[in-house]
Amino acid sequence: MITKCLFPVAGYGTRFLPATKAQPKEMLPILTKPLIQYGVEEALEAGMRNIAFVTGRSKRAIEDHFDITYELEDKISGTSKESHLDGIRELIDQCTFSYTRQIHMRGLGDAILTGETLIGDQPFGVILADDLCVGEPDNVMLQMTRIHAKYRCSIVAVEDVPIEEVDKYGIVKGQLLDDGCTRVERMVEKPAPKDAPSNLAVIGRYILTPDIFEIIRRTPPGKNGEIQLTDALQSQAANGNVIAYPFQGRRFDCGSIDGFVEATNFFFKRQKETR
């Protein structure tokens, strides 16, 4: 059973300036809940109770969110507002949280490597909180744990994207398997549309095997001079050890303004329908 999930949260969130000048993009709310809380809830539902954050400067709000706020809780104790904290209290009670800092922003691969000290020698989940996923019927990370149990290798969640948008993603191509998954043979980080091997894009959900750390250490800088997780996964894929899983559900790219608004509208509509 996979018990640990890593959250790389050190990025600057420049697409949301000035809102992210003094607060983490992961704390931007969809309705009344920050993006990072949706991600941790997904991890917990998948059985991952050990939550590891790779943070950076100006990210203290994330640590404070997953902690008790005595003054606030005393102020609203016994009022109707107290129930608004039920969800975050459940996470605090059921999860353990650990933190380490990524000193320099050198790409997702470097962020994953920075988290090695919190993960150790075991398979682990990775959630990028600005990809907000709604799984059907189970959440995406829970779906992926089942795929990992079947193949016992690294798993990446994928979806088809318009060909003109492939330069925003890691793109994969490989052998289609009987269950709809793909055994990855080739991975390319943010290719130009004319160079893309397919339009099958990796989104912000991974299950990685622990050998990925040593592979990242040997991986030279790639696109934009950063250590790309895609390049490290290509090394695993060369040995047949990466499976691309077309998850069941819907993803909102909340790292973009359009996706953030779309997610807000979706959850607002769903909230009204369940009242």
Side-chain angles (χ1 to χ4, degrees):
M1 185 175 181
I2 298 174
T3 62
K4 294 187 177 183
C5 189
L6 185 66
F7 287 80
V9 294
Y12 294 120
T14 53
R15 285 187 285 179
F16 278 87
L17 287 171
T20 51
K21 182 177 181 292
Q23 71 166 330
K25 66 176 180 178
E26 296 84 7
M27 289 299 296
L28 294 174
I30 300 296
L31 302 187
T32 59
K33 190 188 304 182
L35 284 167
I36 192 65
Q37 185 172 334
Y38 286 97
V40 173
E41 288 174 349
E42 181 178 340
L44 178 59
E45 289 173 12
M48 303 175 188
R49 296 176 179 271
N50 298 312
I51 308 300
F53 293 102
V54 176
T55 71
R57 292 176 293 279
S58 303
K59 297 287 183 168
R60 280 291 302 277
I62 294 174
E63 296 184 44
D64 291 342
H65 186 69
F66 294 103
D67 198 355
I68 296 172
T69 309
Y70 290 101
E71 297 84 355
L72 171 64
E73 299 202 18
D74 179 68
K75 183 72 173 180
I76 66 175
S77 177
T79 73
S80 60
K81 294 181 180 179
E82 189 173 12
S83 63
H84 296 322
L85 295 179
D86 287 349
I88 187 62
R89 283 173 170 169
E90 180 179 355
L91 295 180
I92 292 170
D93 289 343
Q94 295 193 36
C95 297
T96 60
F97 300 92
S98 56
Y99 304 84
T100 190
R101 279 196 174 192
Q102 183 183 16
I103 304 302
H104 303 287
M105 303 298 107
R106 293 174 175 162
L108 180 57
D110 182 69
I112 299 296
L113 184 58
T114 302
E116 181 181 16
T117 187
L118 304 177
I119 297 298
D121 188 24
Q122 59 185 284
F124 61 101
V126 176
I127 290 179
L128 307 187
D130 52 6
D131 267 351
L132 177 54
C133 293
V134 179
E136 298 172 356
D138 298 316
N139 79 48
V140 174
M141 189 55 73
L142 179 55
Q143 294 175 38
M144 293 175 67
T145 62
R146 296 169 182 153
I147 301 300
H148 174 77
K150 178 178 180 180
Y151 290 101
R152 298 291 177 178
C153 65
S154 290
I155 312 296
V156 297
V158 294
E159 68 177 2
D160 290 326
V161 299
I163 193 66
E164 62 270 17
E165 295 183 10
V166 295
D167 59 353
K168 301 176 182 178
Y169 301 92
I171 302 298
V172 306
K173 185 178 182 180
Q175 176 189 1
L176 185 64
L177 304 175
D178 291 341
D179 58 2
C181 294
T182 296
R183 189 174 296 280
V184 177
E185 297 170 349
R186 187 181 177 200
M187 302 186 73
V188 182
E189 180 66 19
K190 298 179 180 177
K194 63 183 179 61
D195 300 323
S198 75
N199 67 330
L200 196 59
V202 178
I203 63 110
R205 298 294 183 277
Y206 308 80
I207 290 178
L208 303 177
T209 52
D211 60 307
I212 195 68
F213 295 123
E214 185 56 39
I215 295 171
I216 294 172
R217 263 190 285 272
R218 300 195 307 263
T219 299
K223 190 84 171 183
N224 299 324
E226 298 179 336
I227 306 298
Q228 299 292 346
L229 179 60
T230 300
D231 294 340
L233 286 169
Q234 175 63 64
S235 296
Q236 288 187 326
N239 296 314
N241 291 328
V242 179
I243 296 293
Y245 170 62
F247 65 95
Q248 303 300 304
R250 183 172 179 182
R251 175 190 71 106
F252 298 95
D253 177 13
C254 292
S256 70
I257 294 175
D258 288 350
F260 187 86
V261 173
E262 186 180 10
T264 300
N265 290 337
F266 174 87
F267 279 89
F268 180 69
K269 180 179 178 181
R270 191 168 74 168
Q271 183 184 79
K272 290 185 66 176
E273 291 172 349
T274 57
R275 282 177 180 171

